């Protein structure tokens, strides 16, 4: 948003905050290849239920559905910050993005920020929230010196919102349907206005759900533009297993980009979002969170990665981008080899080669055995889901099974980490 527009909207952003924004990897496309951010997973609870969210996963308003991040106390968050800051150059931003809602866990969020401010006065703080509690905490957010806040607003029409949210928990009550959506939206818009008027750069995230809010998103964009929002980030629905929308199709990036092109006529669009984990660390495109698990902090085992000479991991993936197949549905596996941090694709293995002919390989059990046979030289198999019995059979063959709904790259690191923790390698 340019200066004239800001004046018209009564927006007040100081040059100091504009300078900080240039070093914020999410708010500035130019910054994302250069500056790193670190998320502190100090906020496990949530006060609403989005229909696309399963609370076993990180908050989907900010993240791709993936295994829930480990939770830190504010004290551990401070220690982890100091540890990571020593190892990562150009760490400019500390964000709180779940795994639940930053404001539904306000005491832990606030304490973590205060503790980090005590050891680093220059770091930029960033919050992500569903906005239900924004009017209540806007003053405290501003008093803490937080200049970057993301609010997820999927709708501004409660009829549409009621299709996206199952309930909200508000003032000790559980409220459902239209009433819930009305309160949530009113608070989101009120909260955004309170922030943009007082030196906070607000980004609005939207999850595009085809058939529900896709045609409505341009109205959301126009509404938040009027409130002085800096940038909007339209994200695809990636259905989380176990959520109400688990069977809805994933929104394609073509649909997302078409909508971004329309909305760009109104407001700047974020196009480099990685829908990162609630404990993501590093450059947006190079998540290093697995290197910095809290359990490893005391004895910083950087050398451990080097001890792992070679891991072979079989991945159930449709196109090599996401871990998006159930173990039993995979007709082939991509086999990756690497040292725990960097992996290369070495081959694609078809499962049917391991069936003992159509006659003998027809039952579910035969097929499962064929799959296991096809990956018996691997240390681990990485799938979106796997049944108990297949897991057990793999375990008996010394193959670790790891579930993830993340990118292949992040999933491989997570699998390597799981292998280390299980002392398999
Ligand atoms: Fe984190 Fe979010 Fe702050 Fe960035 S992430 S709290 S604004 S520091 Fe960035 Fe990650 Fe996309 Fe979020 S790439 S998911 S937009
Ligand atoms: Fe899940 Fe985030 Fe929605 Fe809460 S706000 S229900 S954590 S997606």
């Amino acid at each position: 948003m340019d200066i004239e527009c800001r004046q018209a909207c009564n927006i007040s952003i100081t040059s100091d905050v504009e300078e900080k924004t240039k070093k914020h990897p999410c708010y500035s496309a130019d910054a994302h290849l250069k500056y790193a951010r670190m998320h502190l997973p100090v906020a496990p609870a949530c006060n609403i239920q989005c229909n696309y969210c399963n609370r076993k996963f990180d908050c989907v308003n900010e993240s791709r559905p993936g295994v829930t991040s480990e939770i830190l106390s504010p004290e551990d968050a401070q220690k982890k910050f100091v540890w990571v800051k020593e190892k990562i150059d150009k760490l400019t931003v500390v964000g709180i993005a779940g795994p639940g809602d930053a404001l539904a866990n306000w005491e832990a969020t606030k304490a973590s920020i205060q503790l980090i401010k005590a050891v680093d006065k220059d770091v930029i703080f960033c919050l992500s929230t569903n906005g239900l509690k924004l009017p209540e905490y806007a003053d405290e957010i501003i008093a803490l010196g937080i200049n970057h806040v993301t609010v997820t607003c999927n709708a501004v029409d409660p009829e549409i919102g009621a299709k996206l949210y199952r309930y909200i928990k508000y003032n000790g009550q559980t409220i459902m349907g239209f009433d819930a959506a009305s309160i949530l939206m009113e608070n989101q818009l009120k909260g955004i206005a309170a922030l943009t008027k007082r030196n906070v750069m607000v980004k609005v995230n939207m999850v595009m759900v085809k058939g529900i809010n896709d045609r409505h998103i341009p109205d959301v964009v126009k509404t938040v533009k009027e409130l002085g929002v800096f940038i909007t980030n339209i994200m695809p629905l990636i259905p989380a297993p176990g959520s109400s929308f688990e069977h809805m199709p994933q929104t394609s990036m073509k649909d997302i980009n078409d909508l971004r092109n329309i909305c760009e006529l109104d407001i700047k669009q974020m196009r480099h979002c990685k829908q990162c984990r609630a404990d993501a660390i590093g450059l947006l495109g190079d998540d290093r969170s697995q290197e910095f698990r809290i359990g490893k902090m005391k004895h910083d085992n950087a050398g451990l990665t080097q001890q792992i000479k070679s891991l072979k991991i079989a991945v159930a993936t449709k196109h090599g981008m996401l871990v998006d197949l159930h173990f039993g549905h995979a007709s082939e596996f991509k086999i990756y080899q690497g040292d725990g941090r960097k992996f290369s694709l070495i081959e694609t293995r078809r499962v049917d080669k391991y069936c003992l002919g159509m006659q003998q390989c027809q039952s579910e059990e035969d097929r499962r055995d064929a799959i296991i046979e096809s990956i018996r030289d691997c240390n681990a198999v990485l799938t979106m889901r796997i049944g108990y019995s297949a897991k057990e059979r793999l375990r008996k063959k010394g193959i670790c099974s790891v579930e993830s709904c993340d990118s292949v790259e992040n999933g491989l690191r997570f699998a390597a980490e799981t292998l280390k923790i299980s002392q398999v390698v």
Side-chain angles (χ1 to χ4, degrees), residues 5-6 16 21 26 53 84 96 157 170 172 180 182 280-281 355 368:
C5 289
R6 268 192 229 146
D16 161 56
T21 302
C26 305
C53 176
V84 171
I96 297 181
D157 174 348
Y170 192 57
S182 303
I281 293 174
C355 282
R368 192 176 53 207

Side-chain angles (χ1 to χ4, degrees), residues 24-27 37-39 61-64 93-98 124-129 148-150 203 205 233 235 270 272-277 280 284:
H24 193 309
C26 305
Y27 282 64
R37 55 80 182 92
M38 168 183 192
H39 280 171
N61 284 343
E62 184 81 357
S63 327
R64 189 175 285 282
V93 172
V94 165
I96 297 181
I124 302 164
F125 290 102
C126 188
L127 292 186
S128 168
T129 175
H148 295 85
V149 174
T150 295
K203 171 165 77 64
N205 282 4
N233 177 19
M235 309 195 304
M270 181 175 186
H272 60 285
C273 175
K274 302 290 183 222
Q275 289 184 262
C276 36
R277 296 170 56 90
L284 296 192

Side-chain angles (χ1 to χ4, degrees), residues 363-422:
S363 73
E364 213 171 288
E365 204 162 319
D366 289 338
R367 188 174 151 68
R368 192 176 53 207
D369 286 345
I371 297 179
I372 293 172
E373 189 57 29
S374 74
I375 55 168
R376 63 176 304 163
D377 58 325
C378 294
N379 302 90
V381 59
L382 176 62
T383 62
M384 186 174 77
R385 278 277 174 279
I386 184 167
Y388 176 76
S389 136
K391 214 175 183 134
E392 276 303 288
R393 285 170 102 108
L394 284 162
R395 191 182 58 77
K396 286 186 187 143
K397 299 236 179 223
I399 304 168
C400 179
S401 50
V402 180
E403 288 173 85
S404 166
C405 298
D406 212 324
S407 62
V408 168
E409 191 186 350
N410 288 341
L412 284 167
R413 287 192 202 150
F414 179 65
E417 185 65 20
T418 307
L419 285 165
K420 272 191 268 170
I421 292 165
S422 335

Side-chain angles (χ1 to χ4, degrees), residues 207-245:
V207 179
M208 176 183 175
V209 185
K210 275 198 98 172
I212 297 187
N213 69 345
D214 48 343
R215 287 162 188 243
H216 176 58
I217 280 180
D219 293 336
V220 181
V221 168
K222 285 185 200 320
T223 305
V224 300
K225 178 195 173 182
E226 291 302 309
L227 298 176
V229 161
F230 175 72
I231 189 169
T232 62
N233 177 19
I234 304 171
M235 309 195 304
L237 169 75
I238 302 174
S243 69
S244 300
F245 286 179

Side-chain angles (χ1 to χ4, degrees), residues 44-55 57-62 98-101 129-130 152 165:
C46 191
N47 45 12
I48 71 173
Q49 181 60 60
C50 304
N51 282 333
Y52 44 72
C53 176
N54 170 356
R55 293 293 300 114
F57 299 141
D58 281 355
C59 174
V60 189
N61 284 343
E62 184 81 357
D101 183 72
T129 175
N130 59 45
T152 301
Y165 303 106

